Amino acid sequence: MAAPTPTPTPTPTPTAAPTMWIGRVSRPSEDRQRTVLVRTDGRAPQPDDLVEEIADPFAAALPSAGGDAPSDALVLAQQASPIAGGVRAPIGELILRPPLRPGKIICVGRNYAAHAREMGNEVPTEPLLFFKPSSAALAAGAPIDLPRGYERIDMEAELVVVIGRAGYRLAREQALDVVAGYTIGNDVSCRDLQKKDGQWTRAKGFDGFAPLGPFVRLHPSGAPLAEDVRIRGSVDGTIRQEGRVGDMIFDVAAILAYVSACMTLEPGDLVFTGTPDGVWPLHPGETTTVTAVGFDLGELSTPLR
Ligand code: MN
């Protein structure tokens, strides 16, 4: 009698750490936007993943929300219970909205040396800051109606820091404590107006010029991202931009310390951290895609019309 075939020892499945994601969705039949929570095993949410509606943790963490103590959107999200009668459905059955209602959108210009050089600028000795209006926020998958009559509108693939709790005059060593998580963004920029106006308000501020998401990945308070995480920008599937987070001139902690020396960072504020070189001119009919490599933040695709 032949010896029984030994039962193979099951290879332990590598269990990625559970990850929580915050987004906003609408039911197909309504305009109302609802904040939702998604849990995954570390990968970005997929169409089959179930979302559950929760109270907006960023709004609830604002000092003006009237809580007993300064609160932290990261903690509120981690402790959130689904709203009774709220949305509970697979992502694929819902309309994605920008993953939060942004407060300030603070942006850093020229934060990668190769990008500063490609634009003919000096490498800055301190962060160069500007704002985008919150009305520029655009959901993943939603189209931009490119304004007509300009020579050059570029994509800028960027890592976006999501602020979870208020902070003012933060020391660099404590600055990451106010971070709730990360997402990716596209700092769409009209070069004609950037040169003509001097101020960048119009160049960076058209409706749709801040594609964002699809979700905010919550991240442990105070923990930096790995320096090898790369931010990648593609147009119609061809990679045009890629930069390492570790190659930023000013890292996330330095940026948050610098910004908060001037203004209070508040829950729901976003910080666009600058773009690698390879910024690329855009045309109607193309599709831009921004992803992070080595730290899954999902895929931010934007059709251009
Ligand atoms: Mn930018």
Side-chain angles (χ1 to χ4, degrees):
M1 192 175 160
T5 311
T7 308
T9 311
T11 312
T13 311
T15 43
T19 315
M20 295 171 73
W21 307 75
I22 298 290
R24 277 166 87 80
V25 299
S26 295
R27 289 183 169 129
S29 55
E30 67 176 18
D31 288 331
R32 181 175 161 192
Q33 300 189 20
R34 301 158 182 274
T35 297
V36 292
L37 181 67
V38 193
R39 294 167 203 272
T40 74
D41 58 5
R43 70 192 155 69
Q46 302 297 315
D48 287 344
D49 287 328
L50 191 71
V51 304
E52 291 185 304
E53 185 173 352
I54 60 168
D56 181 343
F58 299 102
L62 282 168
S64 57
D68 297 336
S71 54
D72 185 338
L74 178 61
V75 175
L76 294 174
Q78 287 165 338
Q79 296 174 346
S81 308
I83 293 176
V87 166
R88 182 184 155 85
I91 293 166
E93 294 179 7
L94 300 163
I95 298 167
L96 270 186
R97 304 293 188 180
L100 74 171
R101 164 74 193 167
K104 299 184 286 293
I105 304 179
I106 304 153
C107 305
V108 183
R110 300 169 196 159
N111 199 23
Y112 290 81
H115 170 60
R117 284 195 294 269
E118 78 176 342
M119 302 301 284
N121 296 305
E122 299 289 320
V123 173
T125 54
E126 57 187 300
L128 171 66
L129 302 184
F130 62 95
F131 285 130
K132 289 170 94 78
S134 57
S135 47
L138 186 73
I144 301 177
D145 286 312
L146 288 176
R148 298 299 202 262
Y150 298 107
E151 287 285 316
R152 186 160 172 172
I153 298 172
D154 284 352
M155 79 174 300
E156 294 192 356
E158 306 199 7
L159 175 72
V160 177
V161 183
V162 181
I163 303 300
R165 80 176 207 219
Y168 187 51
R169 296 181 175 167
L170 297 164
R172 197 181 179 293
E173 295 70 31
Q174 298 141 11
L176 293 179
D177 295 350
V178 303
V179 176
Y182 294 90
T183 189
I184 38 182
N186 186 350
D187 173 21
V188 180
S189 304
C190 177
R191 301 299 178 205
D192 308 48
L193 292 177
Q194 204 171 354
K195 291 195 189 89
K196 178 182 169 195
D197 290 358
Q199 300 288 322
W200 298 358
T201 306
R202 290 202 299 163
K204 303 277 193 175
F206 284 87
D207 278 19
F209 272 23
L212 196 66
F215 291 89
V216 174
R217 178 176 176 154
L218 300 183
H219 193 69
S221 182
L225 287 189
E227 297 211 328
D228 276 333
V229 172
R230 283 169 288 141
I231 302 300
R232 176 182 283 176
S234 306
V235 180
D236 287 346
T238 304
I239 298 171
R240 299 297 183 187
Q241 299 192 264
E242 190 165 296
R244 284 173 74 251
V245 164
D247 287 340
M248 289 181 185
I249 299 168
F250 305 102
D251 65 16
V252 171
I255 293 167
L256 299 182
Y258 185 85
V259 172
S260 73
C262 168
M263 66 188 82
T264 300
L265 290 165
E266 297 181 304
D269 286 352
L270 302 178
V271 182
F272 278 60
T273 55
T275 199
D277 63 317
V279 295
W280 197 258
L282 304 177
H283 308 93
E286 297 170 341
T287 297
T288 60
T289 305
V290 183
T291 55
V293 182
F295 184 70
D296 196 355
L297 290 172
E299 186 175 279
L300 175 62
S301 282
T302 308
L304 309 171
R305 313 193 285 209

